[in-house]
Amino acid sequence: MKRLEAITTVYSYRFPEIRRLVDEATNPFPHEVFLSSTSPPGALDKFHEPIIGKVIGFYRDFAPHLKDFGFSYPTSGSEEGIREVMTDLRNHNIRNIYLLKGEYEGYKAVAETRKIEIVEVNPEINPKNLKPGYWFISNPSARDGNIIPNQFINDICEAGHKVFYDLAYLGSTKQHEFDISHENIFAAVVSFSKPFGLFYDRIGFTFSKEAVPSLYGNRWFKSILGLLIAEKIVDSLKPT
């Protein structure tokens, strides 16, 4: 009898449906897209913009307020967005951030390299009892895979805190509308790693209420192939 074990690195397992779509996106390889960058020079600078529009439309039933963020960037998965938003916070002299206990370990790893202190918070605490600050929250939650109620995050915002909303697991759970409309939700990220197994393709998007200066250069430093794969997925599949 063959022993079966759980795959912990599910974010890098390329599902058969995804393999077929990647094949369709790259066969024949879209050389003409890359060659268009020279005619005229800079022709691909805005290549990501209509694709981000499609991603927003793709998730409209899950996160309808993605469209309300004034700035959007193609990023290397969601991690680049996390990293550069933390960089921006540190440049604004933010020295600590709040995390729920058991939250995604990547936040701590990135924060340490920016000399930002982590304050772990018990989910039962009243956010009004904490000094207003910045929270990094994954929802669906990396803590246990469950959905955090909208009211819980809204209470954090109403207490005067700012929230970075990590939607990396968006599409991996039952259908749910994630309310990211509160004015104190200052940024959000989406990743194609968790729901589609495209970790090594580094496909993600960052949305922010204010410009993230270190992501401005992503109009040039982006993966055109990753964007083409993302477009193929949102044109072919449903987020469920």
Side-chain angles (χ1 to χ4, degrees):
M1 182 179 295
K2 183 178 180 181
R3 179 181 174 85
L4 300 179
E5 296 181 353
I7 301 173
T8 56
T9 55
V10 64
Y11 49 79
S12 62
Y13 179 73
R14 303 172 76 88
F15 304 101
E17 298 86 348
I18 298 303
R19 290 176 230 162
R20 287 194 291 270
L21 291 178
V22 172
D23 287 344
E24 292 175 14
T26 57
N27 186 22
F29 194 87
H31 290 293
E32 71 283 356
V33 175
F34 292 85
L35 289 171
S36 70
S37 66
T38 61
S39 180
L44 294 180
D45 288 1
K46 296 184 178 182
F47 185 81
H48 58 282
E49 293 181 1
I51 296 175
I52 290 178
K54 287 186 176 184
V55 170
I56 291 172
F58 184 70
Y59 286 121
R60 64 183 176 272
D61 292 333
F62 280 81
H65 294 282
L66 276 177
K67 60 180 175 53
D68 298 333
F69 289 79
F71 298 87
S72 56
Y73 309 90
T75 50
S76 176
S78 55
E79 193 276 342
E80 185 182 14
I82 294 167
R83 176 167 23 100
E84 298 309 329
V85 167
M86 282 197 189
T87 298
D88 192 49
L89 291 178
R90 189 64 181 83
N91 287 341
H92 285 84
N93 208 33
I94 302 302
R95 298 185 178 276
N96 56 66
I97 59 174
Y98 293 114
L99 299 181
L100 294 173
K101 285 187 176 179
E103 184 57 279
Y104 169 53
E105 64 271 19
Y107 300 142
K108 183 177 181 180
V110 174
E112 287 177 348
T113 65
R114 269 71 180 160
K115 300 188 184 311
I116 294 175
E117 181 184 352
I118 294 298
V119 180
E120 285 196 318
V121 177
N122 190 306
E124 282 73 41
I125 197 169
N126 186 336
K128 292 181 180 179
N129 295 333
L130 298 171
K131 179 181 177 181
Y134 288 83
W135 292 64
F136 278 65
I137 299 176
S138 60
N139 197 23
S141 179
R143 297 167 65 242
D144 54 15
N146 289 323
I147 295 171
I148 299 173
N150 288 328
Q151 188 60 52
F152 177 85
I153 297 177
N154 188 68
D155 288 344
I156 292 173
C157 293
E158 286 296 306
H161 299 274
K162 301 281 189 179
V163 171
F164 176 98
Y165 209 118
D166 187 346
L167 291 160
Y169 287 90
L170 188 61
S172 300
T173 63
K174 65 181 180 181
Q175 186 161 343
H176 176 80
E177 183 177 317
F178 295 88
D179 183 7
I180 56 174
S181 63
H182 199 285
E183 60 183 6
N184 281 355
I185 297 175
F186 71 98
V189 288
V190 171
S191 171
F192 276 33
S193 300
K194 306 304 191 302
F196 304 116
L198 291 169
F199 177 82
Y200 289 110
D201 297 84
R202 309 309 304 140
I203 301 171
F205 303 92
T206 297
F207 302 87
S208 181
K209 298 280 177 66
E210 296 183 7
V212 183
S214 56
L215 287 177
Y216 179 81
N218 283 27
R219 63 172 53 199
W220 307 296
F221 302 108
K222 62 194 176 195
S223 169
I224 296 298
L225 182 57
L227 287 166
L228 287 169
I229 292 172
E231 183 176 38
K232 187 68 176 179
I233 286 172
V234 298
D235 282 347
S236 306
L237 300 179
K238 295 180 180 180
T240 52

Coordinates of all heavy atoms in Angstrom, one line a residue, residues 113-197:
T113 N 14.3 42.4 9.3 CA 15.3 43.0 8.4 C 15.1 44.5 8.2 O 16.0 45.2 7.8 CB 15.3 42.4 7.0 OG1 14.0 42.7 6.4 CG2 15.4 40.9 7.1
R114 N 13.9 45.0 8.6 CA 13.7 46.5 8.6 C 13.8 47.1 10.0 O 13.5 48.3 10.2 CB 12.3 46.7 8.1 CG 12.2 46.9 6.6 CD 12.4 45.6 5.9 NE 12.4 45.8 4.4 CZ 12.9 45.0 3.6 NH1 13.5 43.9 4.0 NH2 12.8 45.2 2.2
K115 N 14.2 46.3 11.0 CA 14.3 46.7 12.4 C 13.0 47.2 12.9 O 12.9 48.3 13.6 CB 15.4 47.8 12.5 CG 16.8 47.3 12.1 CD 17.9 48.3 12.4 CE 19.3 47.8 11.9 NZ 19.6 46.4 12.2
I116 N 11.9 46.5 12.5 CA 10.6 46.8 13.0 C 10.3 45.7 14.1 O 10.4 44.5 13.8 CB 9.6 46.8 11.9 CG1 9.8 47.9 10.9 CG2 8.1 46.9 12.4 CD1 8.9 47.9 9.7
E117 N 9.8 46.1 15.2 CA 9.5 45.2 16.3 C 8.1 44.6 16.1 O 7.2 45.3 15.7 CB 9.5 45.9 17.7 CG 9.2 45.0 18.8 CD 9.2 45.8 20.2 OE1 9.6 47.0 20.2 OE2 8.8 45.2 21.2
I118 N 7.9 43.3 16.4 CA 6.6 42.7 16.3 C 6.0 42.7 17.7 O 6.6 42.3 18.7 CB 6.8 41.2 15.8 CG1 7.3 41.2 14.4 CG2 5.5 40.4 15.9 CD1 6.4 41.8 13.4
V119 N 4.7 43.1 17.7 CA 3.9 43.0 18.9 C 2.8 42.0 18.7 O 1.9 42.2 17.9 CB 3.3 44.4 19.3 CG1 2.5 44.2 20.6 CG2 4.4 45.4 19.5
E120 N 2.9 40.8 19.3 CA 1.9 39.7 19.1 C 0.7 40.0 20.0 O 0.9 40.3 21.2 CB 2.5 38.4 19.4 CG 3.5 37.9 18.3 CD 3.7 36.4 18.4 OE1 3.9 35.9 19.5 OE2 3.7 35.7 17.4
V121 N -0.5 39.8 19.4 CA -1.7 40.2 20.1 C -2.6 38.9 20.2 O -2.8 38.2 19.2 CB -2.4 41.3 19.4 CG1 -3.7 41.6 20.1 CG2 -1.5 42.6 19.3
N122 N -3.1 38.7 21.4 CA -4.1 37.7 21.5 C -5.4 38.1 20.8 O -5.9 39.2 21.0 CB -4.4 37.4 23.0 CG -5.2 36.2 23.3 OD1 -6.3 36.0 22.7 ND2 -4.7 35.3 24.1
P123 N -6.1 37.2 20.0 CA -7.3 37.6 19.3 C -8.4 38.1 20.2 O -9.3 38.8 19.8 CB -7.7 36.4 18.5 CG -6.4 35.6 18.4 CD -5.6 35.9 19.7
E124 N -8.4 37.7 21.5 CA -9.5 38.1 22.4 C -9.3 39.5 22.9 O -10.2 40.0 23.6 CB -9.5 37.1 23.6 CG -10.2 35.8 23.3 CD -9.3 34.9 22.4 OE1 -8.1 34.8 22.7 OE2 -9.8 34.3 21.5
I125 N -8.2 40.2 22.7 CA -7.9 41.5 23.3 C -8.8 42.5 22.6 O -9.2 42.4 21.4 CB -6.5 41.9 23.2 CG1 -6.1 43.0 24.1 CG2 -6.1 42.3 21.7 CD1 -4.6 43.3 24.2
N126 N -9.2 43.5 23.4 CA -10.0 44.6 22.8 C -9.0 45.6 22.2 O -8.1 46.1 22.9 CB -10.7 45.3 23.9 CG -11.7 46.4 23.4 OD1 -11.5 47.0 22.3 ND2 -12.7 46.8 24.2
P127 N -9.1 45.8 20.8 CA -8.1 46.7 20.2 C -8.1 48.1 20.7 O -7.1 48.9 20.6 CB -8.5 46.7 18.7 CG -9.9 46.2 18.7 CD -10.1 45.3 19.9
K128 N -9.2 48.5 21.4 CA -9.2 49.9 22.0 C -8.2 50.0 23.1 O -7.9 51.1 23.5 CB -10.6 50.2 22.5 CG -11.7 50.3 21.4 CD -13.0 50.7 21.9 CE -14.1 50.8 20.8 NZ -15.4 51.1 21.4
N129 N -7.8 48.9 23.7 CA -6.8 48.9 24.8 C -5.4 48.9 24.3 O -4.5 48.9 25.2 CB -7.0 47.6 25.7 CG -8.4 47.6 26.3 OD1 -9.0 48.7 26.6 ND2 -8.9 46.4 26.7
L130 N -5.2 49.0 23.0 CA -3.8 49.1 22.5 C -3.6 50.4 21.9 O -4.5 51.1 21.3 CB -3.7 48.0 21.4 CG -3.8 46.5 21.8 CD1 -3.8 45.7 20.6 CD2 -2.7 46.1 22.7
K131 N -2.4 50.9 21.9 CA -2.0 52.2 21.3 C -2.2 52.0 19.8 O -1.8 51.1 19.2 CB -0.6 52.5 21.6 CG -0.1 53.8 20.9 CD 1.4 54.0 21.2 CE 1.9 55.3 20.6 NZ 3.3 55.5 20.8
P132 N -3.0 53.0 19.2 CA -3.2 52.9 17.7 C -1.9 52.7 16.9 O -0.9 53.4 17.2 CB -3.9 54.2 17.4 CG -4.5 54.6 18.6 CD -3.6 54.1 19.7
G133 N -1.9 51.7 16.0 CA -0.7 51.4 15.3 C -1.1 50.7 14.0 O -2.2 50.8 13.5
Y134 N -0.1 50.0 13.4 CA -0.3 49.3 12.2 C -0.4 47.8 12.4 O 0.4 47.2 13.1 CB 0.9 49.6 11.2 CG 0.8 51.0 10.7 CD1 1.3 52.1 11.4 CD2 0.3 51.3 9.4 CE1 1.3 53.4 11.0 CE2 0.3 52.6 8.9 CZ 0.7 53.6 9.7 OH 0.7 54.9 9.2
W135 N -1.4 47.1 11.8 CA -1.6 45.7 11.9 C -1.3 45.1 10.5 O -1.7 45.6 9.5 CB -3.0 45.4 12.3 CG -3.4 45.8 13.7 CD1 -3.5 47.0 14.2 CD2 -3.8 44.9 14.7 NE1 -3.9 47.0 15.5 CE2 -4.1 45.7 15.8 CE3 -4.0 43.5 14.8 CZ2 -4.6 45.1 17.0 CZ3 -4.4 42.9 16.0 CH2 -4.7 43.7 17.1
F136 N -0.8 43.9 10.5 CA -0.7 43.0 9.3 C -1.5 41.8 9.6 O -1.2 41.0 10.5 CB 0.8 42.7 9.0 CG 1.6 43.7 8.3 CD1 1.8 45.0 8.9 CD2 2.0 43.5 7.0 CE1 2.5 46.0 8.2 CE2 2.7 44.6 6.3 CZ 2.9 45.8 6.9
I137 N -2.6 41.7 8.8 CA -3.5 40.6 9.0 C -3.8 39.8 7.7 O -4.1 40.4 6.7 CB -4.9 41.1 9.5 CG1 -4.7 41.9 10.9 CG2 -5.9 40.0 9.7 CD1 -5.9 42.5 11.4
S138 N -3.7 38.5 7.8 CA -4.0 37.6 6.6 C -5.4 37.1 6.8 O -5.8 36.7 7.9 CB -3.0 36.5 6.5 OG -3.1 35.6 7.6
N139 N -6.2 37.3 5.7 CA -7.6 36.8 5.7 C -8.0 36.4 4.3 O -8.0 37.3 3.4 CB -8.5 37.9 6.3 CG -9.8 37.3 6.7 OD1 -10.0 36.2 7.0 ND2 -10.9 38.2 6.8
P140 N -8.3 35.1 4.0 CA -8.4 34.0 5.0 C -7.0 33.9 5.7 O -6.0 34.2 5.2 CB -8.6 32.8 4.0 CG -9.3 33.4 2.8 CD -8.6 34.7 2.7
S141 N -7.2 33.4 7.0 CA -6.1 33.5 7.9 C -5.0 32.4 7.7 O -5.3 31.2 7.6 CB -6.6 33.4 9.3 OG -5.5 33.5 10.3
A142 N -3.7 32.8 7.7 CA -2.6 31.9 7.6 C -2.5 31.2 9.0 O -1.8 30.2 9.1 CB -1.3 32.6 7.3
R143 N -3.2 31.7 10.0 CA -3.1 31.1 11.3 C -3.7 29.7 11.4 O -3.2 28.7 11.9 CB -3.8 32.0 12.4 CG -3.1 33.3 12.5 CD -3.9 34.3 13.3 NE -4.1 33.8 14.7 CZ -5.3 33.5 15.2 NH1 -6.4 33.6 14.5 NH2 -5.4 33.1 16.5
D144 N -4.9 29.6 10.7 CA -5.6 28.3 10.8 C -6.4 28.0 9.5 O -7.2 27.0 9.5 CB -6.6 28.3 12.0 CG -7.5 29.5 12.0 OD1 -7.6 30.2 11.0 OD2 -8.1 29.8 13.1
G145 N -6.3 28.8 8.5 CA -7.1 28.6 7.3 C -8.5 29.1 7.3 O -9.2 29.0 6.3
N146 N -8.9 29.6 8.4 CA -10.3 30.1 8.6 C -10.5 31.5 8.2 O -9.5 32.2 8.0 CB -10.8 29.8 10.0 CG -11.0 28.4 10.3 OD1 -11.4 27.6 9.5 ND2 -10.7 28.0 11.6
I147 N -11.7 31.9 8.0 CA -12.0 33.3 7.6 C -12.3 34.1 8.9 O -13.1 33.7 9.8 CB -13.3 33.3 6.7 CG1 -13.0 32.6 5.4 CG2 -13.8 34.8 6.5 CD1 -14.2 32.5 4.5
I148 N -11.6 35.2 9.0 CA -11.7 36.1 10.1 C -13.0 37.0 9.8 O -13.1 37.6 8.8 CB -10.5 37.0 10.3 CG1 -9.3 36.2 10.6 CG2 -10.7 38.1 11.4 CD1 -8.0 37.0 10.7
P149 N -13.9 37.1 10.8 CA -15.1 37.9 10.5 C -14.8 39.3 10.2 O -13.9 39.9 10.8 CB -15.9 37.8 11.8 CG -15.4 36.5 12.5 CD -14.0 36.4 12.1
N150 N -15.5 39.9 9.3 CA -15.3 41.3 8.9 C -15.4 42.2 10.1 O -14.7 43.2 10.2 CB -16.3 41.7 7.8 CG -16.1 41.1 6.5 OD1 -14.9 40.8 6.1 ND2 -17.1 40.8 5.7
Q151 N -16.3 41.9 11.0 CA -16.5 42.8 12.1 C -15.3 42.9 13.0 O -15.0 44.0 13.6 CB -17.7 42.3 13.0 CG -18.1 43.3 14.1 CD -18.5 44.6 13.5 OE1 -19.4 44.7 12.6 NE2 -17.9 45.7 14.0
F152 N -14.5 41.8 13.1 CA -13.3 41.8 13.9 C -12.3 42.8 13.4 O -11.7 43.6 14.2 CB -12.7 40.4 13.9 CG -11.4 40.3 14.7 CD1 -11.4 40.0 16.1 CD2 -10.2 40.4 14.0 CE1 -10.2 39.9 16.8 CE2 -9.0 40.3 14.7 CZ -9.0 40.0 16.1
I153 N -12.1 42.8 12.1 CA -11.1 43.7 11.5 C -11.7 45.1 11.5 O -11.0 46.1 11.7 CB -10.8 43.3 10.1 CG1 -10.1 41.9 10.1 CG2 -9.9 44.3 9.4 CD1 -9.7 41.3 8.8
N154 N -13.0 45.3 11.3 CA -13.6 46.6 11.4 C -13.5 47.2 12.8 O -13.2 48.4 12.9 CB -15.1 46.5 11.0 CG -15.7 47.9 10.9 OD1 -15.4 48.6 9.9 ND2 -16.6 48.2 11.8
D155 N -13.6 46.4 13.8 CA -13.4 46.9 15.2 C -11.9 47.4 15.4 O -11.7 48.4 16.1 CB -13.7 45.8 16.2 CG -15.1 45.5 16.3 OD1 -16.0 46.3 15.8 OD2 -15.5 44.4 16.8
I156 N -11.0 46.7 14.8 CA -9.6 47.2 14.8 C -9.4 48.5 14.2 O -8.8 49.5 14.7 CB -8.6 46.1 14.2 CG1 -8.6 44.9 15.0 CG2 -7.2 46.7 14.0 CD1 -7.9 43.7 14.4
C157 N -10.1 48.7 13.0 CA -10.0 50.0 12.3 C -10.7 51.1 13.1 O -10.2 52.2 13.1 CB -10.6 49.8 10.9 SG -9.7 48.7 9.8
E158 N -11.9 50.7 13.6 CA -12.6 51.7 14.4 C -11.9 52.2 15.6 O -12.2 53.3 16.1 CB -14.0 51.2 14.7 CG -15.0 51.1 13.6 CD -15.3 52.5 13.0 OE1 -15.8 53.3 13.8 OE2 -15.2 52.7 11.8
A159 N -11.0 51.4 16.1 CA -10.2 51.7 17.3 C -9.0 52.7 16.9 O -8.2 53.0 17.8 CB -9.7 50.5 18.0
G160 N -9.0 53.0 15.7 CA -7.9 54.0 15.2 C -6.7 53.3 14.7 O -5.7 54.0 14.3
H161 N -6.7 52.0 14.5 CA -5.5 51.3 13.9 C -5.6 51.3 12.4 O -6.7 51.4 11.8 CB -5.5 49.9 14.4 CG -5.4 49.7 15.9 ND1 -4.2 49.8 16.6 CD2 -6.4 49.6 16.9 CE1 -4.4 49.6 17.9 NE2 -5.7 49.5 18.1
K162 N -4.4 51.2 11.8 CA -4.3 51.0 10.3 C -4.1 49.5 10.0 O -3.3 48.8 10.8 CB -3.2 51.8 9.8 CG -3.3 53.3 10.0 CD -4.2 54.0 9.1 CE -4.2 55.5 9.2 NZ -5.1 56.2 8.3
V163 N -4.6 49.0 8.9 CA -4.6 47.6 8.6 C -4.0 47.3 7.2 O -4.5 47.9 6.3 CB -5.9 46.9 8.8 CG1 -5.9 45.5 8.2 CG2 -6.4 46.9 10.2
F164 N -3.0 46.5 7.2 CA -2.5 45.9 5.9 C -3.2 44.6 5.8 O -3.1 43.7 6.6 CB -1.0 45.7 6.0 CG -0.4 45.0 4.8 CD1 0.2 45.8 3.8 CD2 -0.4 43.7 4.7 CE1 0.8 45.2 2.7 CE2 0.2 43.0 3.6 CZ 0.8 43.8 2.6
Y165 N -3.9 44.4 4.7 CA -4.8 43.3 4.5 C -4.2 42.3 3.5 O -4.2 42.6 2.3 CB -6.2 43.8 4.0 CG -7.4 43.0 4.4 CD1 -8.4 43.5 5.2 CD2 -7.5 41.6 4.0 CE1 -9.5 42.7 5.5 CE2 -8.6 40.9 4.3 CZ -9.6 41.4 5.1 OH -10.7 40.7 5.4
D166 N -3.8 41.1 4.0 CA -3.2 40.2 3.1 C -4.2 39.1 2.7 O -4.7 38.3 3.4 CB -2.1 39.5 4.0 CG -1.2 38.5 3.1 OD1 -1.6 38.2 2.0 OD2 -0.2 38.1 3.6
L167 N -4.5 39.2 1.4 CA -5.5 38.3 0.7 C -4.8 37.2 0.0 O -5.3 36.7 -1.0 CB -6.4 39.1 -0.2 CG -7.3 40.1 0.4 CD1 -7.8 41.1 -0.6 CD2 -8.5 39.4 1.0
A168 N -3.6 36.7 0.5 CA -2.9 35.7 -0.3 C -3.7 34.4 -0.5 O -3.5 33.7 -1.4 CB -1.6 35.4 0.5
Y169 N -4.6 34.1 0.5 CA -5.4 32.8 0.4 C -6.7 33.1 -0.3 O -7.6 32.2 -0.3 CB -5.5 32.2 1.8 CG -4.3 31.6 2.3 CD1 -3.4 32.4 3.1 CD2 -4.0 30.3 2.1 CE1 -2.2 31.8 3.6 CE2 -2.8 29.7 2.6 CZ -2.0 30.5 3.4 OH -0.8 29.9 3.9
L170 N -6.9 34.2 -0.9 CA -8.2 34.6 -1.5 C -8.5 33.5 -2.6 O -7.7 33.2 -3.5 CB -8.1 35.9 -2.1 CG -9.4 36.5 -2.7 CD1 -10.5 36.7 -1.6 CD2 -9.1 37.9 -3.4
G171 N -9.7 32.9 -2.6 CA -10.1 31.9 -3.5 C -9.8 30.5 -3.0 O -10.2 29.5 -3.7
S172 N -9.2 30.4 -1.8 CA -8.9 29.0 -1.3 C -9.9 28.5 -0.3 O -9.8 27.4 0.2 CB -7.5 29.1 -0.6 OG -6.5 29.4 -1.6
T173 N -11.0 29.3 -0.1 CA -12.0 28.9 0.9 C -13.4 29.0 0.2 O -13.5 29.3 -0.9 CB -12.0 29.9 2.1 OG1 -12.3 31.2 1.6 CG2 -10.6 30.0 2.7
K174 N -14.4 28.8 1.0 CA -15.7 29.0 0.6 C -15.9 30.4 0.2 O -15.1 31.3 0.7 CB -16.8 28.6 1.6 CG -16.7 29.5 2.9 CD -17.7 29.1 3.9 CE -17.7 30.0 5.1 NZ -18.6 29.6 6.2
Q175 N -16.9 30.7 -0.7 CA -17.1 32.1 -1.1 C -17.4 33.0 0.1 O -18.3 32.6 0.9 CB -18.1 32.2 -2.2 CG -18.3 33.6 -2.8 CD -19.0 33.6 -4.1 OE1 -19.1 32.5 -4.8 NE2 -19.4 34.7 -4.6
H176 N -16.8 34.1 0.1 CA -17.0 35.1 1.2 C -16.6 36.4 0.7 O -15.7 36.6 0.0 CB -16.2 34.7 2.4 CG -16.2 35.6 3.6 ND1 -17.3 35.6 4.5 CD2 -15.4 36.6 4.0 CE1 -17.1 36.6 5.4 NE2 -15.9 37.2 5.1
E177 N -17.4 37.4 1.1 CA -17.0 38.8 0.8 C -16.2 39.4 1.9 O -16.6 39.6 3.0 CB -18.3 39.7 0.6 CG -17.9 41.1 0.1 CD -19.2 41.9 -0.2 OE1 -20.1 41.4 -0.8 OE2 -19.2 43.1 0.2
F178 N -14.9 39.7 1.5 CA -14.0 40.3 2.5 C -14.1 41.8 2.4 O -13.9 42.4 1.3 CB -12.6 39.8 2.2 CG -12.4 38.4 2.3 CD1 -12.6 37.5 1.3 CD2 -12.0 37.9 3.6 CE1 -12.5 36.1 1.5 CE2 -11.8 36.5 3.7 CZ -12.1 35.6 2.7
D179 N -14.6 42.4 3.5 CA -14.8 43.9 3.5 C -13.5 44.6 3.7 O -13.0 44.7 4.8 CB -15.8 44.2 4.6 CG -16.2 45.7 4.6 OD1 -15.8 46.4 3.6 OD2 -17.0 46.1 5.5
I180 N -13.0 45.2 2.7 CA -11.8 46.0 2.8 C -12.1 47.5 2.5 O -11.2 48.2 2.0 CB -10.7 45.5 1.8 CG1 -11.1 45.4 0.4 CG2 -10.2 44.1 2.3 CD1 -10.0 45.0 -0.6
S181 N -13.3 47.9 2.8 CA -13.7 49.2 2.4 C -13.4 50.3 3.5 O -13.4 51.5 3.2 CB -15.3 49.2 2.3 OG -15.9 48.9 3.5
H182 N -13.0 49.9 4.7 CA -12.7 50.9 5.7 C -11.6 51.7 5.4 O -10.5 51.2 4.8 CB -12.5 50.2 7.1 CG -12.6 51.1 8.3 ND1 -11.7 52.0 8.6 CD2 -13.6 51.2 9.2 CE1 -12.1 52.7 9.7 NE2 -13.3 52.2 10.0
E183 N -11.7 53.0 5.6 CA -10.6 53.9 5.3 C -9.3 53.6 5.9 O -8.2 54.0 5.5 CB -11.0 55.4 5.6 CG -11.3 55.6 7.1 CD -11.8 57.0 7.4 OE1 -12.0 57.8 6.4 OE2 -11.9 57.4 8.6
N184 N -9.3 52.9 7.1 CA -8.1 52.6 7.8 C -7.4 51.3 7.3 O -6.3 50.9 7.8 CB -8.3 52.5 9.3 CG -8.4 53.8 9.9 OD1 -8.2 54.9 9.3 ND2 -8.7 53.9 11.2
I185 N -8.0 50.7 6.3 CA -7.3 49.6 5.6 C -6.5 50.3 4.5 O -7.0 50.7 3.5 CB -8.3 48.5 5.0 CG1 -9.0 47.9 6.2 CG2 -7.5 47.5 4.2 CD1 -10.1 46.9 5.7
F186 N -5.2 50.4 4.7 CA -4.4 51.3 3.9 C -3.7 50.5 2.7 O -3.3 51.2 1.8 CB -3.3 52.0 4.8 CG -2.2 51.1 5.2 CD1 -1.0 51.0 4.6 CD2 -2.3 50.3 6.4 CE1 0.1 50.2 5.0 CE2 -1.3 49.5 6.8 CZ -0.1 49.5 6.2
A187 N -3.6 49.2 2.8 CA -3.0 48.5 1.7 C -3.5 47.0 1.7 O -4.0 46.5 2.8 CB -1.5 48.5 1.8
A188 N -3.5 46.4 0.6 CA -3.9 45.0 0.4 C -3.0 44.3 -0.6 O -2.5 45.0 -1.5 CB -5.4 44.9 0.1
V189 N -2.8 43.0 -0.5 CA -2.1 42.2 -1.4 C -2.8 41.0 -1.9 O -3.6 40.4 -1.1 CB -0.7 41.8 -0.9 CG1 0.3 43.0 -0.8 CG2 -0.8 41.1 0.4
V190 N -2.6 40.6 -3.1 CA -3.2 39.4 -3.7 C -2.1 38.5 -4.2 O -1.1 39.1 -4.8 CB -4.2 39.7 -4.8 CG1 -4.7 38.5 -5.5 CG2 -5.4 40.4 -4.2
S191 N -2.2 37.2 -4.1 CA -1.2 36.3 -4.6 C -1.8 35.2 -5.4 O -2.9 34.7 -5.1 CB -0.4 35.7 -3.5 OG 0.5 34.7 -3.9
F192 N -1.1 34.7 -6.5 CA -1.6 33.6 -7.2 C -0.9 32.3 -6.8 O -1.0 31.3 -7.4 CB -1.3 33.8 -8.7 CG -2.4 34.6 -9.4 CD1 -3.1 35.6 -8.7 CD2 -2.8 34.4 -10.7 CE1 -4.1 36.4 -9.3 CE2 -3.8 35.1 -11.3 CZ -4.4 36.1 -10.6
S193 N -0.1 32.4 -5.7 CA 0.6 31.2 -5.2 C -0.4 30.2 -4.5 O -0.4 29.0 -4.9 CB 1.7 31.6 -4.2 OG 2.7 32.4 -4.8
K194 N -1.1 30.7 -3.5 CA -1.9 29.8 -2.7 C -3.0 29.2 -3.5 O -3.2 28.0 -3.4 CB -2.4 30.5 -1.4 CG -1.3 31.2 -0.6 CD -0.2 30.3 -0.1 CE 0.7 30.9 0.9 NZ 1.3 32.1 0.5
P195 N -3.9 30.0 -4.2 CA -5.0 29.3 -4.8 C -4.7 28.6 -6.1 O -5.4 27.7 -6.5 CB -5.9 30.5 -5.1 CG -5.0 31.7 -5.3 CD -3.9 31.4 -4.3
F196 N -3.5 28.9 -6.7 CA -3.3 28.3 -8.0 C -1.9 27.5 -8.1 O -1.6 27.0 -9.1 CB -3.3 29.4 -9.1 CG -4.5 30.2 -9.2 CD1 -4.6 31.5 -8.9 CD2 -5.7 29.5 -9.5 CE1 -5.8 32.2 -9.0 CE2 -6.9 30.2 -9.6 CZ -6.9 31.6 -9.3
G197 N -1.2 27.5 -7.0 CA 0.1 26.7 -7.0 C 1.2 27.4 -7.8 O 2.1 26.7 -8.3

